[in-house]
């Protein structure tokens, strides 16, 4: 086959085209050869030089090159002098071809792709390229720094990271990534893309951030911080997989004399499980279950070393065991129905309904709560436990006794698949269908109404029911029970909306009288809603200097 005017084209050779030859002519001809046969294909340049394209591989070949080049059977070769610069991308299948590609500074995207057993080595150096590895049966030892490193497939236990400054993204279903004691990695993202993934990260050196981004598949992820000198800045769990059975089980081992600064669950499904094992003389500074995480199935802490503080901002079941002296647990107001069970001394601060079970080994524990009825304490230790409430009152719970009312068990609600959720992004609130707002003005400091120091309270009866009806009338597949509505008005805090709700905003001295508007933001969400929808009602009214209200209604634009 002669090719003189085929620059920029592709030649596909499929099975049956074995023993084909290609001859190129013209000083600017460049073609891409796809060899899907079982034998080498010979490509002759205009000067007679031969480039062999191996079976099941591809290459761009120029008819004329200004520098000498060598062929490599079984690997993809891109000439670096093509005016269209195809040399910026290289696919290699052997270690020899890899070394050639690493030496070419024009390469900006380098892919290692083979199903054969190979030992790939990358020497020290700063390579201005993105590295992609798709080699399910190969070993890779890396001492080089790349723009990014993406591991799509690797032999089960054979990635050895020895470089400083890399960003690794691990998509492989099965992988073990080992960070050498002299390595320093910026970020490792563990994001398995297939079901039943099993990924292990072993850290003997330093890693700034480990992110478990489990967006599509169930996964078992293990992070093993191996010992003295090993450290991880933050381990962050972002388990967003949908489906009742799809969730991550994340295990973090912190070996003796190792250190982790922060362990954070940022986004999670109700099946997410986090197990944290902290060996003697090792330290974890903070464990954070963030508000945005959603309900987390369980967090278990086995602490022989030190965990400084556990902050819980979302409903979670927490179990604490080990030989540590004490663990502080802060349950915030957004983490209602959290359950804490401990066999070590704990200092629990509860700002929301919390069930606390203290087993033998938790002697000396204490509980502080904003409200006395926020906590249920089951004291199974051999000593009394003190509960201190917002008034400073102390309630003693004797050994073998309980205090408060336990949270009733509720059946698990399975996650709704995304395909079955309802998209309400087009919803627009019709304020004309809402009850008329009732507006009242009261003095904040006593006495008659004056220009300074007045508060305005707006009440709209049945607004939750009205909003839910508008949503369910417009979108099929939803009932009022499927919806949750929150509101925020003025400088007030967000709160769940019931059938009748009052909104307050306080105006300063220069704003107390005259025509006013008050924006009330509503957020509509629910397990069957694809994404939460925010809408706004703007209430208008006029306040006289005597403190009377007139012209109460809704702004016409809303």
């Amino acid at each position: 086959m002669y090719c003189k005017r085929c620059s920029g084209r592709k030649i596909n050779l499929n099975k049956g085209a074995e023993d084909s030859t290609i001859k190129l002519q013209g000083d600017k001809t460049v073609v891409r050869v796809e060899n899907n046969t079982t034998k080498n294909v010979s490509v002759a340049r205009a000067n007679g030089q031969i480039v062999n394209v191996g079976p099941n591989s591809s290459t761009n070949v120029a008819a004329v090159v200004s520098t000498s080049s060598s062929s490599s059977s079984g690997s993809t070769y891109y000439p670096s002098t093509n005016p269209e610069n195809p040399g910026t991308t290289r696919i290699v299948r052997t270690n020899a071809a890899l070394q050639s590609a690493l030496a070419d500074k024009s390469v900006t995207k380098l892919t290692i792709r083979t199903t054969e057993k190979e030992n790939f080595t990358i020497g020290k150096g700063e390579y201005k390229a993105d590295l992609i590895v798709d080699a399910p049966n190969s070993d890779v030892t890396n001492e080089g720094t790349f723009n990014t490193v993406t591991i799509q497939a690797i032999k089960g236990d054979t990635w050895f990271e020895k470089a400083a400054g890399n960003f690794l993204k691990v998509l492989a279903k099965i992988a073990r990534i080992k960070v050498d004691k002299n390595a320093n990695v910026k970020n490792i993202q563990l994001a398995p893309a297939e079901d039943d993934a099993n990924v292990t990260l072993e850290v003997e050196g330093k890693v700034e951030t480990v992110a478990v981004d489990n967006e599509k598949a169930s996964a078992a992820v293990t992070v093993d911080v191996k010992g003295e000198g090993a450290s991880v800045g933050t381990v962050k769990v972002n388990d967003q997989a949908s489906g009742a059975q799809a969730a991550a089980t994340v295990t973090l081992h912190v070996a003796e004399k190792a250190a982790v600064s922060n362990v954070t669950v940022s986004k999670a499904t109700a099946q997410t499980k986090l197990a944290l094992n902290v060996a003697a003389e090792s330290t974890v500074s903070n464990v954070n279950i963030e508000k945005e995480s959603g309900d987390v199935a369980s967090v278990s802490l086995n602490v022989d070393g030190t965990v400084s503080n556990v902050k819980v901002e979302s409903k979670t079941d927490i179990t604490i065991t080990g030989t540590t002296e004490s663990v502080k647990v802060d349950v915030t107001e957004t983490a209602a129905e959290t359950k804490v069970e401990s066999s070590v001394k704990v200092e629990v601060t509860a700002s929301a309904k919390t069930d606390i079970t203290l087993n033998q080994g938790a002697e000396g524990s204490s509980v502080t709560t904003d409200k006395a009825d926020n906590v249920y304490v089951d004291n199974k230790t051999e000593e009394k436990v003190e509960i201190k409430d917002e008034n400073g009152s102390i309630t003693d719970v004797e050994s073998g006794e309980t205090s408060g009312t336990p949270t009733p068990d509720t059946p698990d609600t399975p996650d709704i698949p995304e395909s079955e959720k309802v998209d309400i992004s087009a919803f627009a609130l019709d304020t004309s269908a809402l009850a008329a707002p009732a507006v009242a003005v009261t003095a904040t400091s006593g006495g008659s109404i004056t220009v300074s120091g007045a508060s305005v309270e707006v009440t709209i009866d049945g607004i939750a029911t009205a909003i839910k009806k508008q949503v369910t009338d417009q979108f099929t597949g939803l009932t009022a029970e499927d919806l949750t509505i929150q509101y925020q008005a003025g400088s007030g805090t967000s709160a769940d909306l019931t059938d009748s709700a009052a909104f307050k905003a306080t105006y300063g001295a220069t704003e107390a009288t005259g025509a006013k508007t008050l924006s009330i933001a509503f957020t509509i969400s629910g397990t069957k809603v694809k994404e939460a929808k925010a809408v706004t009602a703007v209430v208008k009214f006029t306040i006289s200097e005597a403190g009377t209200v007139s012209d109460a209604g809704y702004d016409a634009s809303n």
Side-chain angles (χ1 to χ4, degrees):
M1 177 186 295
Y2 285 90
C3 193
K4 184 175 182 180
R5 295 183 178 87
C6 57
S7 184
R9 296 184 180 180
K10 182 166 65 175
I11 299 173
N12 287 321
L13 298 175
N14 298 319
K15 289 183 178 179
E18 280 78 6
D19 300 320
S20 295
T21 59
I22 300 171
K23 295 182 179 180
L24 304 181
Q25 296 180 353
D27 59 354
K28 293 185 179 181
T29 300
V30 177
V31 298
R32 182 172 181 81
V33 179
E34 297 276 359
N35 180 15
N36 300 312
T37 74
T38 59
K39 296 183 179 180
N40 284 347
V41 170
S42 297
V43 182
R45 293 195 170 101
N47 65 355
Q49 185 182 33
I50 301 297
V51 175
N52 288 320
V53 182
N56 299 311
S57 61
S58 59
T59 182
N60 286 11
V61 184
V64 175
V65 293
S66 59
T67 59
S68 61
S69 58
S70 61
S71 62
S72 179
S73 178
S75 65
T76 302
Y77 175 80
Y78 290 89
S80 60
T81 56
N82 175 34
E84 297 178 359
N85 199 25
T88 60
T89 299
R90 193 81 67 94
I91 301 174
V92 299
R93 304 180 192 277
T94 65
N95 192 55
L98 172 63
Q99 304 312 312
S100 174
L102 292 171
D104 188 344
K105 294 184 178 180
S106 69
V107 175
T108 59
K109 182 179 179 180
L110 174 58
T111 301
I112 300 173
R113 178 174 297 150
T114 182
T115 58
E116 301 298 321
K117 293 181 179 180
E118 288 283 343
N119 292 316
F120 292 98
T121 59
I122 300 171
K124 291 182 179 179
E126 294 187 12
Y127 304 103
K128 304 300 182 182
D130 297 313
L131 175 64
I132 298 172
V133 179
D134 184 8
N137 298 305
S138 295
D139 300 346
V140 177
T141 299
N142 176 46
E143 295 185 68
T145 303
F146 293 83
N147 292 338
T148 62
V149 178
T150 302
I151 303 171
Q152 296 178 343
I154 192 70
K155 191 175 177 180
D157 59 353
T158 51
W159 180 281
F160 302 97
E161 181 66 22
K162 297 185 176 183
N166 272 326
F167 293 78
L168 305 182
K169 184 173 184 177
V170 183
L171 303 177
K173 180 176 181 178
I174 306 295
R176 186 193 73 166
I177 312 299
K178 184 174 182 179
V179 178
D180 187 78
K181 64 181 180 179
N182 295 317
N184 191 329
V185 183
K186 291 286 187 182
N187 181 282
I188 299 178
Q189 182 185 16
L190 307 176
E194 296 185 54
D195 285 337
D196 301 322
N198 194 325
V199 177
T200 298
L201 170 64
E202 294 183 2
V203 180
E204 294 184 355
K206 293 178 172 59
V207 179
E208 292 184 16
T209 303
V210 176
V212 181
D213 288 325
N214 183 49
E215 296 184 358
K216 298 180 180 179
S218 58
V221 177
T222 301
V223 180
D224 197 352
V225 188
K226 295 290 283 188
E228 186 172 5
S231 67
V232 175
T234 296
V235 177
K236 193 168 187 177
V237 179
N238 300 308
D239 179 20
Q240 305 172 73
S242 61
Q245 301 302 317
T249 299
V250 181
T251 304
L252 172 60
H253 298 288
V254 185
E256 186 173 332
K257 296 184 179 180
V260 175
S261 297
N262 297 290
V263 179
T264 300
V265 179
S266 181
K267 295 181 180 179
T269 69
Q271 291 80 37
T272 303
K273 296 180 180 180
L274 171 64
L276 174 57
N277 301 313
V278 184
E281 298 185 61
S282 64
T283 302
V284 174
S285 298
N286 297 289
V287 178
N288 304 295
I289 313 300
E290 294 185 341
K291 180 179 178 182
E292 293 77 13
S293 69
D295 295 346
V296 180
S298 66
V299 174
S300 61
L301 309 177
N302 184 20
V303 186
D304 294 328
T306 301
V307 172
S308 300
N309 188 64
V310 179
K311 186 174 184 180
V312 187
E313 296 181 298
S314 184
K315 176 185 174 183
T316 308
D317 288 355
I318 300 174
T319 304
I320 306 173
T321 58
T323 61
T324 188
E325 290 185 3
S326 180
V327 176
K328 292 183 178 180
V329 180
D330 179 14
V331 181
T332 69
E333 61 184 7
T334 57
E337 300 183 11
T338 286
K339 296 181 179 180
V340 178
E341 181 173 354
S342 182
S343 299
V344 303
K345 177 183 175 182
V346 289
E347 299 173 31
V348 180
T349 301
S351 299
K353 178 62 178 175
T354 306
D355 290 5
I356 304 167
T357 301
L358 301 173
N359 298 318
Q360 289 189 9
E363 282 74 14
S365 295
S366 62
V367 178
T368 303
T369 178
D370 289 351
K371 296 180 181 179
D373 58 359
N374 258 352
V375 296
Y376 165 75
V377 177
D378 184 0
N379 182 12
K380 298 179 180 179
T381 74
E382 296 180 356
E383 298 178 2
K384 70 179 180 181
V385 174
E386 290 186 349
I387 303 175
K388 184 176 181 180
D389 66 17
E390 74 277 14
N391 299 316
S393 299
I394 295 177
T395 302
D396 290 337
V397 184
E398 299 296 336
S399 175
E401 295 185 357
T402 63
S403 177
T405 304
T407 302
D409 290 332
T410 56
D412 292 336
T413 302
D415 287 350
I416 307 297
E418 287 296 316
S419 60
E420 296 180 14
K421 292 184 179 181
V422 179
D423 182 358
I424 64 169
S425 59
F427 176 71
L429 180 64
D430 179 11
T431 54
S432 66
L434 302 180
V439 182
V441 179
T442 58
T444 58
S445 57
S448 61
I449 297 298
T450 62
V451 173
S452 63
S455 65
V456 178
E457 182 178 282
V458 178
T459 302
I460 308 171
D461 290 331
I463 192 170
T465 301
I467 293 176
K468 290 178 181 180
K469 185 176 187 305
Q470 288 187 33
V471 175
T472 55
D473 284 349
Q474 291 185 39
F475 302 95
T476 59
L478 291 174
T479 66
E481 290 72 23
D482 296 326
L483 302 176
T484 299
I485 300 177
Q486 288 192 318
Y487 73 89
Q488 185 167 2
S491 59
T493 58
S494 178
D496 288 339
L497 184 65
T498 56
D499 285 346
S500 179
F503 310 97
K504 282 187 177 181
T506 301
Y507 296 88
T510 60
E511 300 178 303
T513 63
K516 304 298 173 189
T517 59
L518 173 60
S519 294
I520 306 172
F522 299 99
T523 301
I524 307 166
S525 60
T527 57
K528 292 186 178 180
V529 174
K530 189 177 290 289
E531 289 187 8
K533 172 68 175 178
V535 295
T536 303
V538 179
V539 177
K540 64 177 183 178
F541 49 91
T542 301
I543 306 175
S544 71
E545 291 192 13
T548 59
V549 177
S550 60
D551 302 324
Y554 297 100
D555 187 276
S557 63
N558 288 274

